[in-house]
């Protein structure tokens, strides 16, 4: 969100903890942003949903050990940092702060 040239981030409630089981993913939308939400054995992380290599949806990939495998060409990203771990992706994906309060998951965008 921009206001008079100043970037303002806001926390958005995007899901319930009970909606995303261990090692599952969920695509959520905040405004125009498509975001992939990950449950890494009880710890939640969020990144851009769109792979940095092409246009695949990372939330449709496979999550294991906090690493998401892109379903299209197999690039792997560390969801805690957004860094690509193998080709064909060479650029990181954006990560977002996540906060859990009770059963509610919030992302700062
Ligand atoms: Fe993800 Fe190509 S679109 S690796």
């Amino acid at each position: 969100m921009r206001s008079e040239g100043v970037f303002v981030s806001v926390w958005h409630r995007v899901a319930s903890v009970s909606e995303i089981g261990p090692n599952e993913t969920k695509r959520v939308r905040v405004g125009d942003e498509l975001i992939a939400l990950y449950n890494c054995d009880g710890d939640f992380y969020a990144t851009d949903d769109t792979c940095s290599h092409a246009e695949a949806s990372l939330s449709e990939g496979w999550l294991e050990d906090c690493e998401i495998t892109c379903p299209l060409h197999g690039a792997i990203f560390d969801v805690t940092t957004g860094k690509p771990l193998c080709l064909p992706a060479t650029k990181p994906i954006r990560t977002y702060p996540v906060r859990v309060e009770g059963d509610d998951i919030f992302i700062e965008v």
Side-chain angles (χ1 to χ4, degrees), residues 18 25 39:
S18 55
T25 65
N39 179 342

Side-chain angles (χ1 to χ4, degrees), residues 14-64:
V14 293
S16 299
V17 170
S18 55
E19 293 177 59
I20 313 171
N23 296 311
E24 289 183 356
T25 65
K26 179 180 177 67
R27 178 168 50 187
V28 299
R29 178 184 288 275
V30 176
D32 293 335
E33 307 282 342
L34 287 175
I35 297 172
L37 188 58
Y38 311 95
N39 179 342
C40 298
D41 290 322
D43 293 324
F44 290 86
Y45 297 92
T47 72
D48 277 338
D49 185 52
T50 304
C51 180
S52 63
H53 176 243
E55 298 295 318
S57 171
L58 293 172
S59 59
E60 295 176 9
W62 300 276
L63 180 66
E64 186 174 2

